[in-house]
């Protein structure tokens, strides 16, 4: 029997756990040294991935009984402006090289997206190992990561605050509580369930430490996750509810002055760190971080919080989607005065045109309608551009998770 006839798509279950792990390790080149560095053994990672296969929607191509291509979709939630969306977190994408260039992943992604639609997961996030590849499949960049380096002599001077910082175990419930408060006021953030927390910690070293800022009423208002090695203070992430918490956490970091030569960390939003420091001549590197795609436009718009207005706004456009037929065609979005939107499919073509990648990055406010129009990604009248600018909130998306 030919290979083409042997290949079949089916669900990847717990019984395929070792094959799932072998394919992941091969595609992403996870060596035994990588596992040893974070204190893991081969069996540890296999057991750690078991809940993924129980909770996630994992699809694969099988050549007989051999798993040769796979994709996993995690059941997550994110906050888009003030609305909570079910989100399909795409990960574990891989195909053995001898099975590549046969269209297997294209078909897997299309099926995974159809399953997301059935589950009302109208938005999908992923970490791109190839931005061009995922753009061709309908995803687009929605967030950035800024990596910074602050020398010891550039650390901020101590500021008076009314609270205090305490080092705690990373499993402490106060850490999860302050993140939840932060996520509910941060556009784009993951609302972490247990699976999301497990993925957030998965590749961290045993040296990772948490420090929480408690305000004068003993409420946790922020935290920094860090480790120190070779005189470098490494920041995995730092969040804060207010400026007092930010100052308190930087006081804590600066208190390590005699132990370190520099601080290296990541920022997942538009915090102007260089501007905030007295010596702002620091090194900052910006790079794209996560991508997203709208899975079903009609489902997505039903939940989407447009900005209210005194009158109804209407936009008719032709939408292109490289994978999904239900996102292809001409649609009319009607935005009611209260900010609620409705989508209807219409028969005629429209001079206004946009693709699903551009629609996603525009509605998640990574790029504005006027900018997308200027660079030719959004084809419409200037009146429509102005209407969209007035209808779509502009906030920098925050996303610090990795899965």
């Amino acid at each position: 029997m030919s290979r083409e006839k042997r290949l079949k798509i089916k669900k990847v279950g717990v019984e395929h756990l070792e094959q799932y792990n072998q394919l992941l390790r091969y595609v992403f080149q996870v060596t035994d040294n990588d596992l040893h560095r974070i204190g893991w053994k081969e069996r540890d990672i296999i057991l750690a991935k078991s809940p993924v296969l129980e909770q996630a929607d994992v699809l694969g191509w099988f050549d007989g009984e051999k798993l040769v291509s796979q994709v996993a979709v995690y059941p997550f939630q994110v906050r888009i402006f003030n609305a909570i969306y079910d989100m399909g977190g795409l990960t574990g994408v891989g195909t053995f090289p001898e099975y590549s260039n046969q269209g297997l992943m294209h078909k897997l992604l299309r099926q995974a997206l159809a399953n997301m639609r059935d589950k009302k997961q109208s938005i999908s996030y992923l970490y791109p190992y190839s931005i061009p590849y995922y753009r061709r499949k309908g995803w687009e960049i929605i967030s950035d990561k800024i990596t910074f380096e602050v020398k010891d002599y550039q650390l901020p001077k101590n500021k008076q605050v009314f609270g205090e910082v305490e080092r705690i175990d990373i499993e402490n419930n106060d850490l999860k509580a302050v993140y939840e408060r932060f996520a509910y006021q941060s556009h784009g953030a993951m609302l972490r369930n247990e699976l999301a927390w497990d993925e957030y910690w998965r590749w961290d070293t045993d040296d990772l430490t948490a420090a929480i800022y408690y305000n004068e009423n003993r409420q946790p208002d922020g935290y920094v996750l860090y480790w120190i090695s070779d005189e470098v203070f490494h920041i995995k992430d730092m969040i804060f509810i207010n400026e007092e918490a930010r100052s308190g956490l930087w006081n804590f970091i600066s208190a390590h002055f005699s132990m370190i030569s520099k601080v290296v960390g990541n920022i997942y939003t538009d915090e102007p760190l260089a501007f905030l420091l007295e010596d702002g001549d620091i090194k900052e590197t910006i790079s794209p971080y996560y991508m997203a795609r709208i899975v079903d436009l009609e489902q997505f718009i039903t939940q989407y919080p447009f900005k209210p207005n005194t009158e109804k706004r209407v936009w008719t456009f032709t939408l292109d989607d490289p994978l999904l037929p239900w996102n292809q065609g001409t649609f009319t979005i009607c935005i009611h005065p209260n900010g609620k939107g409705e989508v209807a499919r219409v028969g005629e073509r429209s001079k206004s045109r946009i693709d699903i990648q551009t629609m996603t990055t525009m509605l998640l406010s990574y790029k504005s309608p006027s900018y997308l129009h200027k660079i030719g990604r959004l084809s419409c009248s200037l009146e429509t551009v102005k209407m969209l600018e007035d209808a779509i909130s502009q906030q920098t998306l925050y996303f610090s998770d990795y899965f």
Side-chain angles (χ1 to χ4, degrees):
M1 186 187 296
S2 67
R3 174 183 284 179
E4 185 178 351
K5 291 182 178 179
R6 293 196 310 264
L7 288 168
K8 287 185 169 47
I9 289 181
K10 61 182 181 181
K11 185 170 177 59
V12 180
V14 177
E15 66 273 20
H16 306 113
L17 186 55
E18 295 210 22
Q19 288 197 70
Y20 174 82
N21 180 58
Q22 288 168 6
L23 180 50
L24 278 182
R25 287 194 60 182
Y26 186 91
V27 171
F28 296 109
Q29 302 170 52
V30 179
T31 66
D32 288 338
N33 285 337
D34 293 326
L35 295 177
H36 179 72
R37 179 178 55 81
I38 59 171
W40 283 56
K41 295 179 181 177
E42 170 76 12
R43 196 66 197 162
D44 294 331
I45 193 168
I46 291 175
L47 292 173
K49 285 296 183 181
S50 180
V52 172
L53 293 179
E54 293 170 355
Q55 299 178 51
D57 181 24
V58 187
L59 298 173
W61 279 101
F62 286 80
D63 184 351
E65 294 302 314
K66 179 185 177 184
L67 177 63
V68 300
S69 182
Q70 67 190 22
V71 62
V73 178
Y74 289 178
F76 290 145
Q77 286 188 321
V78 290
R79 183 182 178 277
I80 296 175
F81 298 114
N82 60 359
I84 296 174
Y85 280 78
D86 288 332
M87 181 268 281
L90 196 78
T91 186
V93 179
T95 303
F96 281 126
E98 63 268 30
Y99 292 87
S100 61
N101 300 316
Q102 297 179 41
L104 301 185
M105 187 51 64
H106 183 86
K107 293 173 183 175
L108 274 185
L109 289 174
R110 193 163 55 195
Q111 185 60 54
L113 288 163
N115 292 355
M116 287 186 226
R117 185 191 190 208
D118 290 343
K119 295 178 179 180
K120 309 299 183 188
Q121 296 167 334
S122 61
I123 185 80
S124 173
Y125 282 22
L126 64 79
Y127 178 80
Y129 287 93
S130 170
I131 289 174
Y133 176 82
Y134 285 109
R135 271 186 169 149
R136 291 195 297 271
K137 304 303 180 185
W139 277 263
E140 188 51 274
I141 299 166
I142 57 159
S143 75
D144 294 323
K145 178 172 75 171
I146 300 172
T147 301
F148 66 86
E149 182 178 303
V150 178
K151 301 293 187 184
D152 54 355
Y153 57 83
Q154 297 174 309
L155 288 167
K157 296 176 181 176
N158 195 74
K159 287 188 177 180
Q160 182 179 359
V161 294
F162 298 103
E164 57 192 14
V165 173
E166 291 183 15
R167 286 181 295 118
I168 60 159
D169 186 272
I170 61 173
E171 296 297 325
N172 190 296
N173 286 332
D174 282 353
L175 188 145
K176 293 183 177 181
V178 72
Y179 175 79
E180 184 174 11
R181 285 176 60 205
F182 176 82
Y184 271 95
Q185 65 182 40
S186 299
H187 165 52
M190 177 90 85
L191 303 179
R192 291 183 191 143
N193 54 20
E194 285 304 312
L195 179 59
W197 276 111
D198 288 344
E199 288 297 309
Y200 183 72
W201 301 124
R202 187 168 309 284
W203 299 106
D204 291 320
T205 68
D206 291 337
D207 296 327
L208 189 71
T209 303
I212 287 189
Y213 178 81
Y214 291 93
N215 64 27
E216 58 185 330
N217 297 318
R218 287 295 298 172
Q219 292 179 318
D221 279 352
Y223 64 68
V224 59
L225 303 173
Y226 70 96
W227 73 97
I228 301 172
S229 65
D230 299 325
E231 296 186 346
V232 178
F233 191 104
H234 297 270
I235 297 177
K236 172 182 169 73
D237 197 9
M238 181 165 68
I239 64 169
F240 39 85
I241 303 298
N242 49 49
E243 279 300 299
E244 181 182 298
R246 185 186 69 81
S247 296
L249 291 170
W250 274 106
N251 286 350
F252 173 77
I253 296 168
S254 296
H256 293 79
F257 175 84
S258 63
M259 300 168 51
I260 62 175
S261 61
K262 61 184 177 183
V263 176
V264 175
N266 300 313
I267 297 174
Y268 297 93
T269 184
D270 58 348
E271 182 194 4
L273 181 60
F275 182 78
L276 292 168
L277 295 173
E278 184 175 342
D279 183 353
D281 187 17
I282 65 171
K283 182 179 178 181
E284 291 185 302
T285 305
I286 187 169
S287 56
Y289 191 49
Y290 257 69
M291 299 180 81
R293 70 119 69 220
I294 292 171
V295 176
D296 185 293
L297 180 71
E298 295 185 50
Q299 289 179 3
F300 185 84
I301 292 298
T302 300
Q303 285 185 259
Y304 189 79
F306 289 100
K307 291 195 288 188
N309 201 310
T310 54
E311 56 189 36
K312 185 169 74 172
R313 293 151 287 177
V314 177
W315 177 33
T316 299
F317 56 91
T318 298
L319 180 66
D320 297 312
D321 190 310
L323 277 185
L324 306 178
W326 55 82
N327 285 336
Q328 298 165 0
T330 304
F331 300 86
T332 293
I333 290 181
C334 176
I335 308 171
H336 297 285
N338 64 358
K340 280 287 191 181
E342 292 179 337
V343 179
R345 187 181 288 272
V346 296
E348 71 275 8
R349 303 290 283 177
S350 170
K351 291 182 179 178
S352 186
R353 196 175 195 98
I354 190 171
D355 58 36
I356 199 68
Q357 299 93 323
T358 306
M359 181 72 80
T360 302
T361 201
M362 179 177 73
L363 291 177
L364 268 61
S365 78
Y366 182 73
K367 297 299 178 188
S368 68
S370 57
Y371 176 76
L372 293 166
H373 181 264
K374 183 175 73 173
I375 65 172
R377 293 277 299 266
L378 170 61
S379 177
C380 64
S381 67
L382 290 176
E383 289 79 12
T384 298
V385 172
K386 185 177 184 303
M387 183 274 289
L388 291 171
E389 289 280 351
D390 290 340
I392 300 170
S393 299
Q394 290 300 310
Q395 292 181 34
T396 300
L397 187 142
Y398 171 91
F399 196 79
S400 66
D401 287 71
Y402 175 81
F403 53 83

